[in-house]
Amino acid sequence: MFLNNVKIAVFFFVLVFFFSCANQKSQHEKDEQGTMYINPVLPGFYPDPSICKAEGYFYMTHSTFQFFPGCPLFRSADLIHWEQIGNILDRKSQLAIDSVFSSGGVFAPTLRYHNGTFYLITTLIGTPNGGNFFVTAQNPAEPWSEPVNIDMPGYDPDLFFDESGRVYVTVSNGEAIVQSEIEIETGKLLSDPRVIWEGTGGRFPEGPHLYKKDEYYYLLISEGGTEYGHYVVIARSKSVDGPFESAPNNPILTHRDRGNHTLQATGHADFVRADDGSWWVVFLGFRKAGWSYHHLGRETFLAPVNWKKNLWPVIYNNGEVEYEMYADLLEQVPIRQSYAETDFSDTLGHEWLYLRNPDISNFCVRNNELQIDGNRYTLDDVQSPSFVGVRQRQFDVVLETKVRLTGKEAGLSVFMDEDHHYELGIKKNNEGYTVFSRATIGSLSNELKSISISDNRVTMYIYSDKEYYYFNTIIQNDTISLGKMECRYLSSEVASGFTGVILGMYVYGNRSRAIFDYFHYMERNVITPSVSKFESDE
Ligand code: 6LW
């Protein structure tokens, strides 16, 4: 009898609980305004986003540092679905980064469109020919121009085309925001660089962008450094070169005081206006994988901006954003975009990256295989080893390949930089071959596990979650674990720097050759940007 009463009580509790949750869900839905979309809109190592509107589309690009080609170019009709249509700096005459140090190379770019021409301006750091330069294109999917150098110190350059016809370059000098008028045809300075705003007092005022809206010139920058203290501030003036008045609601975007949120470092923003008059902002942030580390790099996020005439802009929830966002989205134009997965029946897609300037003759796609020839470098070198990879975009991924080796060593690498990378590889030994896992963390480089095989051909795969990378090989249909390694030791907090994990294939040895049959890449447990309309509360 007692049990029966308990069962009845439990049944009613469950019933009440269910309906209260359903009501909360509907209440939750009623609290949200608009259509739901998922941030980051561009997951993985896509930092310092810059965006412009042109000819019916939005275009966006990012920093790429020591990776080649530089500055991926994305296009979107709706700000949510992005297709990579190329890479802007895709030849050595534009981007010479041989032996540049990790997190040197291409820093924050600005992408703009004016009178039928696309402009990309950026800074090359750590190379003999470094400094600020821009390239142009009429058709952004075609090759861009040779660089036009700008003899102006500073980094994070912005390009602004004023209604007067004058053109301005605005940079950070690390302590203030500095501006010069330039001759756009030659890049020649037409005025001496002068400080136009020192920011709100935070360290590293950087990432400047100028906009003209209503009666004002708006100057958007970030301060605090591109980590947990990052924040965005804005100022305005009646004149393009100031003096600038700081917004009363600064910072207009930050998560520096949201310590419990896994989305951190929001900053380095760029505004864009849609044809319907709505304003939007793209910015970087990172998703913490654990309590205090992130390894996917700084990613691109999107938020709506409430910016009424002659008033200050308000970003989403007073500068706080979420993974699950609600907004009055533009008409959605979903696209089918493959990423990384390939059986080598076609050339490698735009998403593939090399370390510094590669000897491209070492990489050949033919007969539905990728043939990579080794050189004298390894992933421990600040050089261009025979390596090609893609950004890891989610925490939970699976990557697999089948590789046959002639020579010294080949396999898969989980790469942050020359001092922080893991390999799952095959190498020659006296009797035959060894399949092994290896971890390099700073001065420590160790094999974790290995197994001897007679064949020079092996299937291997790595899967990951927020904590570990798991290394496995398949031999005679048996899966053999070759251990696991922590994600945290490849994080930006450990490695420092500005990049994110790249997953790729490598070959070591001057006279080595490896043939890869396929590169399978799968993202698991991903919240897809479902676009479902929630009725607002009107
Ligand atoms: C870039 C600076 C920044 O120059 O990080 O997050 C630096 N913002 O604007 C490298 O990405």
Side-chain angles (χ1 to χ4, degrees):
M1 187 58 181
F2 171 71
L3 266 183
N4 283 342
N5 290 339
V6 169
K7 282 177 185 173
I8 291 165
V10 167
F11 171 72
F12 276 106
F13 172 76
V14 169
L15 212 58
V16 167
F17 181 72
F18 171 76
F19 279 108
S20 67
C21 283
N23 178 45
Q24 275 170 5
K25 190 174 182 322
S26 63
Q27 184 54 45
H28 176 71
E29 286 175 4
K30 286 177 187 157
D31 290 347
E32 304 304 347
Q33 300 285 330
T35 305
M36 192 263 278
Y37 71 92
I38 297 297
N39 263 326
V41 290
L42 214 48
F45 158 47
Y46 292 107
D48 305 323
S50 182
I51 187 168
C52 70
K53 182 80 177 43
E55 300 163 1
Y57 286 98
F58 297 94
Y59 292 86
M60 183 161 66
T61 190
H62 307 83
S63 304
T64 40
F65 303 101
Q66 75 270 26
F67 292 98
F68 186 91
C71 294
L73 183 63
F74 287 88
R75 184 179 64 191
S76 172
D78 59 20
L79 292 169
I80 302 296
H81 304 91
W82 291 94
E83 174 192 13
Q84 186 172 358
I85 63 170
N87 293 284
I88 295 173
L89 305 176
D90 64 1
R91 53 187 189 274
K92 190 164 185 176
S93 58
Q94 294 171 315
L95 184 56
I97 45 175
D98 295 298
S99 65
V100 75
F101 55 85
S102 288
S103 287
V106 175
F107 267 59
T110 295
L111 185 66
R112 292 294 183 256
Y113 179 75
H114 180 70
N115 284 353
T117 298
F118 289 84
Y119 296 83
L120 173 101
I121 187 170
T122 190
T123 314
L124 200 46
I125 289 182
T127 66
N129 57 338
N132 290 306
F133 69 93
F134 67 86
V135 292
T136 62
Q138 265 57 50
N139 176 345
E142 295 296 319
W144 287 56
S145 74
E146 288 302 292
V148 176
N149 294 317
I150 301 169
D151 185 16
M152 179 180 182
Y155 66 100
D156 290 2
D158 173 72
L159 201 54
F160 177 72
F161 297 87
D162 189 29
E163 296 154 339
S164 64
R166 295 170 182 264
V167 185
Y168 296 88
V169 172
T170 307
V171 299
S172 170
N173 67 8
E175 295 173 350
I177 303 302
V178 178
Q179 184 186 78
S180 273
E181 185 185 348
I182 68 160
E183 183 182 67
I184 194 63
E185 295 74 15
T186 62
K188 183 166 156 276
L189 297 194
L190 299 180
S191 68
D192 291 337
R194 58 184 286 273
V195 172
I196 60 169
W197 192 36
E198 295 186 335
T200 64
R203 64 177 186 156
F204 307 136
E206 57 192 8
H209 291 304
L210 264 174
Y211 311 90
K212 181 67 171 41
K213 183 177 184 294
D214 309 324
E215 299 168 22
Y216 293 98
Y217 291 90
Y218 287 87
L219 177 55
L220 183 74
I221 72 170
S222 285
E223 296 180 354
T226 190
E227 298 86 14
Y228 295 83
H230 213 189
Y231 59 97
V232 174
V233 293
I234 194 165
R236 71 184 182 187
S237 169
K238 295 278 188 171
S239 165
V240 68
D241 55 1
F244 285 91
E245 167 209 4
S246 182
N249 59 326
N250 277 332
I252 60 170
L253 173 68
T254 189
H255 273 203
R256 66 184 178 183
D257 300 323
R258 298 187 80 185
N260 293 330
H261 205 299
T262 58
L263 168 47
Q264 287 292 315
T266 51
H268 202 102
D270 198 5
F271 285 147
V272 69
R273 180 182 181 278
D275 290 347
D276 67 357
S278 60
W279 282 87
W280 300 81
V281 62
V282 291
F283 54 94
L284 70 77
F286 60 67
R287 292 176 284 166
K288 296 197 308 180
W291 171 242
S292 60
Y293 69 89
H294 72 285
H295 57 292
L296 301 186
R298 296 163 302 157
E299 307 172 281
T300 289
F301 295 74
L302 171 81
V305 184
N306 181 352
W307 199 354
K308 294 192 173 28
K309 185 175 170 60
N310 286 334
L311 297 181
W312 296 99
V314 176
I315 295 175
Y316 203 58
N317 182 16
N318 291 318
E320 295 189 346
V321 292
E322 304 301 337
Y323 296 125
E324 187 177 296
M325 298 282 282
Y326 295 85
D328 290 332
L329 292 181
L330 306 176
E331 184 188 351
Q332 293 300 287
V333 184
I335 56 172
R336 184 172 300 284
Q337 167 86 335
S338 69
Y339 180 78
E341 172 74 19
T342 175
D343 59 5
F344 302 124
S345 55
D346 196 353
T347 54
L348 295 180
H350 298 306
E351 69 273 29
W352 289 86
L353 293 171
Y354 301 91
L355 264 171
R356 302 172 186 89
N357 297 103
D359 175 351
I360 207 67
S361 67
N362 284 337
F363 302 83
C364 177
V365 172
R366 65 179 184 198
N367 309 327
N368 287 2
E369 296 170 331
L370 171 62
Q371 172 185 295
I372 303 181
D373 291 340
N375 61 25
R376 66 180 186 277
Y377 300 121
T378 75
L379 289 161
D380 300 329
D381 297 321
V382 183
Q383 293 293 344
S384 187
S386 288
F387 168 82
V388 65
V390 293
R391 296 164 175 85
Q392 180 178 344
R393 301 192 313 184
Q394 301 295 344
F395 296 121
D396 297 7
V397 296
V398 183
L399 62 145
E400 177 186 310
T401 191
K402 181 184 282 186
V403 59
R404 63 181 182 278
L405 169 66
T406 308
K408 186 176 178 184
E409 178 181 329
L412 295 173
S413 179
V414 182
F415 183 86
M416 176 56 107
D417 65 22
E418 62 278 3
D419 295 322
H420 305 85
H421 54 93
Y422 304 151
E423 276 74 56
L424 174 57
I426 177 174
K427 63 182 178 181
K428 186 92 176 67
N429 65 31
N430 298 332
E431 294 78 43
Y433 293 89
T434 300
V435 186
F436 66 94
S437 55
R438 175 178 60 216
T440 297
I441 306 168
S443 312
L444 184 68
S445 186
N446 265 350
E447 278 194 16
L448 304 170
K449 289 191 175 180
S450 63
I451 181 168
S452 294
I453 58 173
S454 55
D455 194 354
N456 72 332
R457 185 173 196 167
V458 68
T459 298
M460 51 178 66
Y461 70 94
I462 299 172
Y463 66 91
S464 67
D465 55 29
K466 286 186 173 181
E467 284 189 84
Y468 292 100
Y469 291 97
Y470 305 83
F471 308 105
N472 301 274
T473 184
I474 298 172
I475 295 172
Q476 291 164 356
N477 293 325
D478 286 335
T479 294
I480 297 166
S481 167
L482 291 175
K484 65 181 183 180
M485 272 303 291
E486 288 81 354
C487 302
R488 70 170 56 240
Y489 298 129
L490 301 188
S491 69
S492 301
E493 286 79 0
V494 169
S496 75
F498 296 123
T499 58
V501 165
I502 305 291
L503 306 170
M505 297 160 281
Y506 76 95
V507 181
Y508 288 174
N510 253 331
R511 282 174 296 285
S512 297
R513 172 168 290 178
I515 308 290
F516 295 85
D517 289 12
Y518 54 80
F519 185 90
H520 289 334
Y521 170 89
M522 183 176 68
E523 297 169 346
R524 302 179 301 154
N525 308 330
V526 182
I527 308 170
T528 51
S530 59
V531 178
S532 51
K533 183 80 179 162
F534 290 105
E535 293 312 312
S536 59
D537 249 351
E538 264 109 60

